[in-house]
Amino acid sequence: MDAIYRTQRHIYDLTRKYYLLGRDRLIADLAPPPGGTVLEPGCGTARNLIVAARRYPHARFFGFDISEAMLEAARESVRKAGLQQRIFLTRGDATAFSAQHLFGLSGFDRVFCSYTLSMIPGWERAIAASAASLVPGGRAHLVDFGRQDDLPRWFARGLYAWLDRFQVTPRQDLELVARSVAAASGLRVDHRPLYRGYAQYAVIGG
Ligand SMILES: C[S@@+](CC[C@H](N)C(=O)[O-])C[C@H]1O[C@@H](n2cnc3c(N)ncnc32)[C@H](O)[C@@H]1O
């Protein structure tokens, strides 16, 4: 990941604004409880954490990423935003993490994965680990590239080929995996396509 992001991190937020769709919709849905905790595995430049921290001033935010280059950019952005007291960052792997080990917490009220599952080879484990790190009553929100079902074939083919160049693989089975993870913990899933299937959005919760 560091090889991909060492140079890209400088232009990352500007270029992704137009095609990582659904991120702000997800943030608007988070609505953590007063004094609540929110985690973003694969937080990248901390763009989402900063938007969310401004929107929910009563909550604390936690993020980790596998790329040290992205974390450097994230720390700088959080510092510039003056949010070091409410956004905490560290290095970690979304496929195997512990709230206790990374942040000394028993779990989180909200966990969200934004355009990260499509980059993680063991993405199924990342969904399971996210759900496992919820406190009772918590919710996991997932947004990523979708199946492109209601968009022209040529568009889907072009998008998938282009994403492949960046080692990004849209997860056709995201809904299925989310449902199986949720069922194992007695949770429910709300899954829906966004923007004619360009993106997909799932919420795992009680
Ligand atoms: C496309 S970026 C998305 C960043 C951010 N979530 C957003 O929506 O702007 C994907 C991020 O996932 C991180 N990543 C990839 N594999 C990871 C893993 N196994 N554990 C944690 N982060 C990972 C990458 O380093 C990168 O920062």
Side-chain angles (χ1 to χ4, degrees):
M1 288 298 149
D2 276 341
I4 297 178
Y5 287 122
R6 191 160 289 119
T7 48
Q8 279 201 38
R9 64 189 158 146
H10 302 297
I11 52 160
Y12 185 90
D13 286 337
L14 195 64
T15 53
R16 268 50 173 195
K17 184 174 169 181
Y18 301 103
Y19 68 89
L20 299 188
L21 305 180
R23 295 186 296 175
D24 291 337
R25 149 80 188 264
L26 180 157
I27 291 167
D29 281 354
L30 286 175
T37 51
V38 181
L39 170 73
E40 183 181 15
C43 62
T45 58
R47 178 265 183 201
N48 296 328
L49 290 170
I50 291 169
V51 173
R54 287 183 174 140
R55 186 175 180 121
Y56 304 110
H58 56 270
R60 286 180 298 150
F61 293 82
F62 301 82
F64 68 81
D65 202 284
I66 206 156
S67 159
E68 194 51 54
M70 279 306 232
L71 278 172
E72 268 176 41
R75 288 190 193 103
E76 178 65 8
S77 300
V78 168
R79 193 190 57 74
K80 277 192 190 150
L83 287 165
Q84 308 95 305
Q85 306 308 315
R86 284 201 303 120
I87 299 181
F88 307 93
L89 301 168
T90 192
R91 189 159 188 271
D93 181 349
T95 64
F97 69 91
S98 137
Q100 190 65 48
H101 184 242
L102 289 183
F103 297 107
L105 294 175
S106 60
F108 303 93
D109 295 293
R110 304 285 183 265
V111 177
F112 67 97
C113 297
S114 162
Y115 288 93
T116 299
L117 299 172
S118 52
M119 287 200 82
I120 302 178
W123 62 279
E124 299 94 335
R125 279 181 282 130
I127 295 180
S130 295
S133 71
L134 294 173
V135 297
R139 291 199 309 255
H141 298 241
L142 318 171
V143 70
D144 218 302
F145 293 104
R147 297 162 52 104
Q148 319 296 313
D149 283 340
D150 294 326
L151 287 161
R153 279 263 175 92
W154 61 261
F155 178 85
R157 268 200 303 271
L159 177 69
Y160 276 37
W162 183 69
L163 292 174
D164 191 51
R165 291 173 51 190
F166 301 97
Q167 297 163 33
V168 173
T169 310
R171 303 305 181 190
Q172 306 280 343
D173 294 343
L174 193 149
E175 179 179 4
L176 216 62
V177 172
R179 289 199 186 283
S180 124
V181 166
S185 316
L187 298 173
R188 285 198 300 260
V189 176
D190 176 30
H191 176 277
R192 63 189 62 184
L194 298 180
Y195 313 108
R196 299 174 66 192
Y198 176 90
Q200 56 183 323
Y201 177 49
V203 180
I204 302 175

